[in-house]
């Protein structure tokens, strides 16, 4: 009886151990961003992705472990000839990732090596279409052309190239010397142009300053002349107004009897002075017989004034 129990226990233990071993071998925990390619009896069966998965031990096996992350691969330096027959040494870095683990496993033996070689050949081909100066000026366009060409060829491999970056473009030493001389000449040319532009601008500024100075000076002279003319006009106007006021007041006084007498006396005095001036300045003077008598002169002047007053009385 004890032998039977021992046998049953041994069988149960063996079955349990087999189940545990079978489960251990059959359970597969796939990490994130990875994929396992499963083969059954050497033939592709399926692709399992991140998480817990179960395969049949002995029958199934993980044939390929593919990373779905973006990968960076250095593209070794190589020689390339430009369109204008200049030899260059070019290297770069390639960024790609696996889109289809099945194609990456069965479409090509080593997809990383394949895309690297394809990047080298494509880079040589694209550089051969461009002149030397364009390889430096249009590096972004060159990178884009290389990426497009690689993706078209790498599609059967289940690989997508995300970007390609050229790290260094090294021309021959003779070309570098010529480029340095050209750049030096360009810098000297730009320096001379900037210097001449500075001198030109300085001359323009100086001329503008002189022009503004002359304009301001002319405007100042004009304003001064205007003010002087206005001042003189005002002075003349004030003198005229003063003379007009004086004449107005003289007329008002002369309209009175006393004023008439003063006017008559003033006229007589001026007549005498005029006769004396004529006698002093001229050697020959024709005078009436009684012209030398001051009283007669005054009488004659008074008679002239009275005659004038009589002639004006009817008109008034």
């Amino acid at each position: 009886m004890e032998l039977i129990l021992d046998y049953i226990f041994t069988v149960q233990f063996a079955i349990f151990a087999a189940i545990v071993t079978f489960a251990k071998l059959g359970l597969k925990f796939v990490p994130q961003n990875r994929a396992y390619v499963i083969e059954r009896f050497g033939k592709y069966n399926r692709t399992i992705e991140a998480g817990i998965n179960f395969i049949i031990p002995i029958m199934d096996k993980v044939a390929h472990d593919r990373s779905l992350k973006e990968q960076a691969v250095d593209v070794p330096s190589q020689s390339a000839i430009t369109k204008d027959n200049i030899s260059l040494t070019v290297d770069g870095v390639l960024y790609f990732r696996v889109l289809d683990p099945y194609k990456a496993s069965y479409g090509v033996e080593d997809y990383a090596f394949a895309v690297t070689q394809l990047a080298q050949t494509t880079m040589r081909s694209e550089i051969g279409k461009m002149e030397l100066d364009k390889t430096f000026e249009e590096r972004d366009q060159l990178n884009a052309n290389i990426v497009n060409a690689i993706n078209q060829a790498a599609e059967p491999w289940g690989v997508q190239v995300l970007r390609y970056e050229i790290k260094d473009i090294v021309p021959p030493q003779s070309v570098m010397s010529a480029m340095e001389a050209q750049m030096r000449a360009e810098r000297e040319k730009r320096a001379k142009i900037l210097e001449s532009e500075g001198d030109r601008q300085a001359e323009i500024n100086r001329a503008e300053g002189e022009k503004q100075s002359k304009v301001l000076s002319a405007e100042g002279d004009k304003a001064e002349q205007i003010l002087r003319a206005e001042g003189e006009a005002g002075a003349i106007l004030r003198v005229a107004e003063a003379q007009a006021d004086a004449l107005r007041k003289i007329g008002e006084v002369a309209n009175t009897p006393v004023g008439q007498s003063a006017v008559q006396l003033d006229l007589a005095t001026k007549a005498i002075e005029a006769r004396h001036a004529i006698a002093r300045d001229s050697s020959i003077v024709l005078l009436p017989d009684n012209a030398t008598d001051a009283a007669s002169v005054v009488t004659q002047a008074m008679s002239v004034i009275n005659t004038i007053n009589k002639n004006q009385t009817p008109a008034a």
Side-chain angles (χ1 to χ4, degrees):
M1 188 66 181
E2 292 181 357
L3 293 174
I4 295 174
L5 293 175
D6 292 338
Y7 177 77
I8 294 174
F9 177 77
T10 302
V11 172
Q12 291 176 347
F13 180 79
I15 294 173
F16 177 76
I19 293 172
V20 171
T21 302
F22 187 83
K24 183 178 180 180
L25 295 175
L27 290 176
K28 295 295 179 182
F29 298 93
V30 182
Q32 185 66 32
N33 284 332
R34 299 195 74 87
Y36 291 169
V37 177
I38 305 301
E39 292 181 353
R40 178 169 295 176
F41 299 120
K43 182 180 179 181
Y44 172 77
N45 180 257
R46 68 184 187 278
T47 301
I48 58 177
E49 297 181 351
I52 184 172
N53 296 271
F54 183 79
I55 64 174
I56 301 175
I58 302 174
M59 296 175 59
D60 297 340
K61 71 172 184 176
V62 178
H64 302 282
D65 180 3
R66 300 303 181 195
S67 174
L68 303 180
K69 299 178 182 179
E70 183 177 346
Q71 303 177 47
V73 177
D74 281 329
V75 179
S77 60
Q78 59 180 331
S79 296
I81 299 177
T82 63
K83 187 177 180 180
D84 48 355
N85 296 323
I86 302 298
S87 178
L88 303 176
T89 301
V90 187
D91 61 354
V93 59
L94 184 68
Y95 298 88
F96 66 92
R97 63 189 181 95
V98 175
L99 294 181
D100 190 340
Y102 171 78
K103 292 181 179 180
S105 300
Y106 301 103
V108 64
E109 182 67 25
D110 186 346
Y111 62 87
F113 176 77
V115 294
T116 302
Q117 295 299 312
L118 184 59
Q120 287 184 312
T121 57
T122 305
M123 182 169 56
R124 284 195 298 267
S125 175
E126 292 296 329
I127 289 179
K129 300 176 183 178
M130 306 174 68
E131 296 180 353
L132 177 62
D133 294 338
K134 296 297 183 180
T135 59
F136 296 99
E137 297 174 2
E138 301 180 2
R139 182 173 294 191
D140 292 339
Q141 184 63 38
L142 179 60
N143 292 334
N145 293 340
I146 294 174
V147 169
N148 293 332
I150 295 176
N151 280 331
Q152 291 178 2
E155 183 179 0
W157 304 339
V159 177
Q160 179 187 22
V161 177
L162 303 177
R163 59 189 179 278
Y164 179 84
E165 297 292 339
I166 295 176
K167 294 193 294 185
D168 293 313
I169 298 178
V170 182
Q173 186 62 39
S174 58
V175 176
M176 291 185 65
S177 299
M179 293 174 63
E180 290 177 359
Q182 181 181 0
M183 288 186 293
R184 189 182 307 110
E186 287 293 333
R187 286 194 296 267
E188 293 176 355
K189 176 182 175 182
R190 288 196 296 268
K192 291 180 179 179
I193 292 174
L194 292 176
E195 183 178 359
S196 63
E197 286 292 335
D199 295 340
R200 174 175 172 270
Q201 191 62 41
E203 291 294 335
I204 292 174
N205 293 339
R206 190 178 300 109
E208 287 291 337
E210 292 177 356
K211 176 183 176 182
Q212 291 294 330
S213 176
K214 291 179 180 179
V215 170
L216 293 177
S217 178
E219 290 179 352
D221 294 340
K222 177 182 176 182
E224 182 181 359
Q225 292 176 2
I226 291 173
L227 292 176
R228 187 182 299 111
E230 290 177 351
E232 293 175 355
I236 294 172
L237 181 61
R238 285 192 292 271
V239 170
E241 290 177 351
Q243 291 177 352
D245 291 339
L247 292 173
R248 191 181 301 109
K249 291 180 180 179
I250 292 172
E252 291 175 356
V253 174
N255 199 24
T256 62
V258 176
Q260 289 290 328
S261 299
V263 169
Q264 292 171 1
L265 178 59
D266 183 62
L267 290 174
T269 302
K270 289 182 177 179
I272 294 171
E273 291 177 353
R275 289 178 181 273
H276 287 171
I278 293 171
R280 184 174 60 249
D281 295 336
S282 177
S283 58
I284 300 174
V285 180
L286 298 178
L287 294 174
D289 295 337
N290 58 352
T292 56
D293 187 1
S296 64
V297 172
V298 172
T299 302
Q300 291 177 3
M302 294 296 295
S303 64
V304 172
I305 294 173
N306 290 330
T307 301
I308 295 173
N309 289 334
K310 288 178 182 180
N311 293 331
Q312 292 179 350
T313 301

